[in-house]
Structures are given as C-alpha cells and as structure tokens.
Amino acid sequence: MQRSAPESAYVLSLLGEARLREQQFSSAFFLYRLALERMPTLRGLHSGLAEIYRRTGHSEWAETEEQREAKLPLLDCHSATPECQFITRKYGELIGTAKSANTPESFYWMTRAYNELA
C-alpha cells in the first residue's frame, strides 16, 4: 500500500494508529489530521483523535471528535464491503476477500482487521 498509495489517507491513518499505540501522541495527531484533510469521511479518524484527546486530558475535545465520528454518513452494508465487514467484526471474511481485491482500500481494512485480531 505504501507503494501504490504512499500519501493516501489510508496509509496516514495506519501510521497514526501505530503512533497512538506507541503513545507518540503529537505524531499520531499530525497523521490523523492530515488523513482527515485527504479523506474526511474515512471512519476511525475522529475516533483516533478522540483517543489522543482522552489520553492527554482533553475530555471535552474527545467528546467533540466522537460526535463528529457519529455524524459520518451511514454505511450501506447490503453488500459485503471491506468497511462493512470490519464494522461488523467479520475479520476472517474481510481478510479472505481483501487479499484478492488488491486495492488500497481493501489493504487498509485488512490491516485494521489484523490489528484488531492481534
């Protein structure tokens, strides 16, 4: 994914998630904000920012970000998209279908599924 879409919101989001796990909050914040600029409707970005705010003692700001996440457009999950499979925690199915899809979006959701399983 870093070769096919190196500066995409998908890559930035995954890097932000990794920095958050490592408690590198300023780096994670920067990466999430940059990802939001590139793809404002990508689910999880506002939640990531909210987590940073919670861990750094800014609960009011965390609440604002959670509200922004909740206001994202509803998903139409009549078909088994990688995003829908992730949201419904069907990680095994997601990983199986994402490997053959070979798109930045499918790799993104597959990586998030692997992270959840880990």
Side-chain angles (χ1 to χ4, degrees):
M1 186 165 44
Q2 283 187 307
R3 280 185 235 135
S4 64
E7 296 181 26
S8 70
Y10 298 123
V11 170
L12 294 168
S13 175
L14 293 173
L15 290 172
E17 185 179 321
R19 297 297 192 286
L20 178 57
R21 278 194 311 272
E22 296 166 6
Q23 298 184 24
Q24 296 177 0
F25 300 125
S26 60
S27 178
F29 178 83
F30 173 78
L31 291 162
Y32 279 132
R33 294 298 300 170
L34 195 54
L36 266 173
E37 288 175 18
R38 304 233 168 114
M39 189 181 278
T41 58
L42 182 59
R43 294 182 195 289
L45 297 177
H46 289 291
S47 295
L49 287 170
E51 184 63 25
I52 293 167
Y53 287 139
R54 268 192 294 283
R55 291 188 188 187
T56 58
H58 300 283
S59 58
E60 313 83 37
W61 297 348
E63 187 71 30
T64 299
E65 290 300 333
E66 289 294 351
Q67 289 170 3
R68 289 177 179 160
E69 184 80 22
K71 288 180 182 176
L72 290 174
L74 294 176
L75 280 176
D76 177 12
C77 288
H78 287 96
S79 61
T81 66
E83 185 176 12
C84 289
Q85 289 172 321
F86 182 83
I87 299 292
T88 57
R89 298 182 175 172
K90 295 179 180 174
Y91 303 132
E93 291 175 29
L94 190 163
I95 291 166
T97 58
K99 284 181 180 178
S100 62
N102 201 23
T103 65
E105 179 184 16
S106 64
F107 285 133
Y108 171 75
W109 291 110
M110 181 175 66
T111 302
R112 297 241 1 237
Y114 277 128
N115 287 343
E116 287 297 316
L117 292 170

